[in-house]
């Protein structure tokens, strides 16, 4: 198919569907035309301009090459919010919503709490919690200035007023500060994991994915340092790899956390672990 003859919405989608998944094609065409899915269904015979067709073809080609759709359209839905994403941040994933759900169960809607989101990236985790617990104050930290810029854009776009995004290395910028809840989706993939060379992971920032030989260096650092930054009875919640739950629980036990537990994602894989710090023990 070429741009020399008129091409309708339905023709463009049908052709793209022979090359990429149909849902991907729909999202890409919505991006080009700046319309909803309902518009594509309602006006299948609308003709694309040459510029629109070329733009759509370029996006389809990038998708064939493996570039994630979220990067091509510049956004991803997470916990009923839409986040801007760039190649400076990880693409928010459904399993990370487990951390939000757990955090919300621990946080009273009417009580002021201080919350820390470590390695915030796009801000999906911290912003979701901040928007649903407006009485709380959230600090979101990331080592990457580009990631912090993305986070701040999302804070502005989503009109969140109770989150402050700062650039820093884990706890380094938080001397003396204590929190009622610390959440983190840190790097936890082993540096030699073959999955880093597959699928979307090929295009995502390695510093946000990989953490040492066994993928545990960042998690270990966070668990070791968290007690100095948690209030009495404060909670630490972490996302981790498919085979790291028991190691995380042992690290939490070693630092005198209590009420330690793990929860599975939709695939049944233990994906998040956490515990409560009781300073009176």
């Amino acid at each position: 198919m070429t741009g020399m003859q008129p091409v309708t919405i339905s023709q463009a989608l049908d052709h793209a569907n022979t090359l990429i998944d149909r849902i991907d094609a729909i999202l890409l065409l919505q991006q080009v035309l700046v319309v909803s899915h309902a518009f594509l269904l309602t006006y299948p015979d609308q003709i694309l301009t040459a510029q629109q067709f070329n733009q759509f073809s370029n996006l389809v080609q990038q998708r064939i090459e493996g570039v994630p759709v979220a990067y091509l359209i510049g956004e991803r839905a997470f916990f009923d919010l839409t986040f801007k994403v760039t190649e400076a941040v990880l693409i928010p994933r459904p399993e990370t919503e487990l951390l939000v759900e757990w955090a919300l169960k621990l946080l009273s809607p009417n009580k002021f709490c201080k919350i820390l989101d470590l390695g915030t990236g796009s801000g999906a985790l911290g912003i979701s919690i901040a928007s649903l617990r407006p009485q709380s104050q959230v600090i979101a930290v990331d080592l990457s200035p580009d990631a912090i810029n993305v986070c701040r854009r999302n804070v502005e776009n989503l009109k969140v007023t109770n989150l402050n995004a700062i650039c820093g290395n884990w706890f380094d910028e938080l001397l003396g500060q204590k929190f009622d809840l610390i959440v983190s989706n840190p790097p936890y993939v082993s540096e030699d994991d073959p999955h880093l060379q597959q699928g979307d992971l090929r295009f995502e920032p390695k510093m946000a994915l990989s953490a040492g030989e066994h993928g545990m260096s960042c998690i270990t650092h966070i668990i070791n340092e968290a007690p100095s930054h948690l209030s009495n009875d404060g909670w630490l919640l972490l996302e981790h790899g498919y085979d790291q739950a028991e190691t995380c629980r042992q690290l939490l036990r070693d630092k005198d956390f209590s009420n330690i537990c793990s929860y599975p994602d939709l695939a049944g894989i233990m994906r998040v672990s956490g515990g409560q710090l009781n300073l009176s023990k």
Side-chain angles (χ1 to χ4, degrees):
M1 181 178 289
T2 70
M4 300 300 294
Q5 59 186 13
V7 177
T8 66
I9 284 174
S10 63
Q11 289 172 332
L13 286 176
D14 287 344
H15 176 65
N17 190 211
T18 66
L19 305 170
I20 62 176
D21 289 346
R22 186 166 186 84
I23 185 62
D24 291 351
I26 289 169
L27 290 170
L28 296 179
L29 191 54
Q30 285 178 213
Q31 174 72 8
V32 170
L33 300 182
V34 194
V35 298
S36 66
H37 186 198
F39 182 96
L40 299 183
L41 294 173
T42 305
Y43 302 101
D45 296 327
Q46 177 168 309
I47 294 173
L48 277 61
T49 67
Q51 181 180 2
Q52 289 170 337
F53 178 79
N54 289 334
Q55 186 180 353
F56 179 58
S57 297
N58 288 335
L59 290 175
V60 169
Q61 182 57 43
Q62 290 182 70
R63 183 60 188 140
I64 292 170
E65 294 166 4
V67 180
V69 172
Y71 289 155
L72 293 175
I73 67 175
E75 63 184 34
R76 170 61 68 91
F78 180 87
F79 221 84
D80 293 331
L81 298 173
T82 299
F83 289 86
K84 299 294 182 184
V85 295
T86 72
E87 293 187 4
V89 300
L90 288 184
I91 299 166
R93 288 170 167 78
E95 50 264 34
T96 306
E97 294 185 356
L98 277 171
L99 282 180
V100 180
E101 293 168 355
W102 193 356
L104 294 176
K105 289 178 182 177
L106 297 173
L107 297 168
S108 169
N110 304 313
K111 181 182 176 183
F112 174 79
C113 289
K114 287 191 67 177
I115 301 159
L116 174 61
D117 174 18
L118 288 172
T120 192
S122 66
L125 188 51
I127 291 172
S128 296
I129 295 170
S131 67
L132 291 164
R133 291 294 182 266
Q135 300 296 328
S136 296
Q137 179 62 43
V138 180
I139 292 180
V141 178
D142 202 286
L143 182 61
S144 164
D146 291 335
I148 286 297
N149 287 335
V150 174
C151 179
R152 287 172 177 162
R153 279 184 61 200
N154 283 318
V155 167
E156 183 178 354
N157 291 342
L158 295 168
K159 297 178 172 56
V160 174
T161 59
N162 58 327
L163 184 146
N164 182 29
I166 61 175
C167 192
N169 185 26
W170 301 125
F171 297 98
D172 288 0
E173 306 300 318
L174 305 168
L175 189 64
Q177 295 193 53
K178 289 185 180 291
F179 300 87
D180 301 293
L181 176 72
I182 299 174
V183 294
S184 182
N185 177 19
Y188 56 72
V189 180
S190 176
E191 61 189 6
D192 59 357
D193 192 312
H195 290 94
L196 291 172
Q197 308 305 321
Q198 300 170 11
D200 289 358
L201 298 186
R202 292 172 294 162
F203 297 87
E204 296 184 86
K206 292 297 181 286
M207 67 177 291
L209 287 166
S210 179
E213 184 178 355
H214 300 291
M216 288 298 299
S217 61
C218 293
I219 288 175
T220 301
H221 177 76
I222 291 169
I223 292 175
N224 286 341
E225 296 296 321
S228 300
H229 294 277
L230 279 171
S231 305
N232 191 32
D233 295 330
W235 284 82
L236 171 63
L237 313 181
L238 295 158
E239 181 174 329
H240 50 69
Y242 71 96
D243 58 352
Q244 296 169 341
E246 177 50 42
T247 303
C248 286
R249 292 195 297 269
Q250 185 58 53
L251 289 169
L252 289 164
R253 285 191 288 268
D254 291 344
K255 299 304 289 188
D256 291 327
F257 281 84
S258 58
N259 296 320
I260 297 166
C261 54
S262 302
Y263 289 107
D265 60 20
L266 292 175
I269 297 167
M270 288 298 172
R271 183 60 64 185
V272 297
S273 295
Q276 186 177 26
L277 186 70
N278 190 327
L279 297 177
S280 61
K281 286 182 65 177

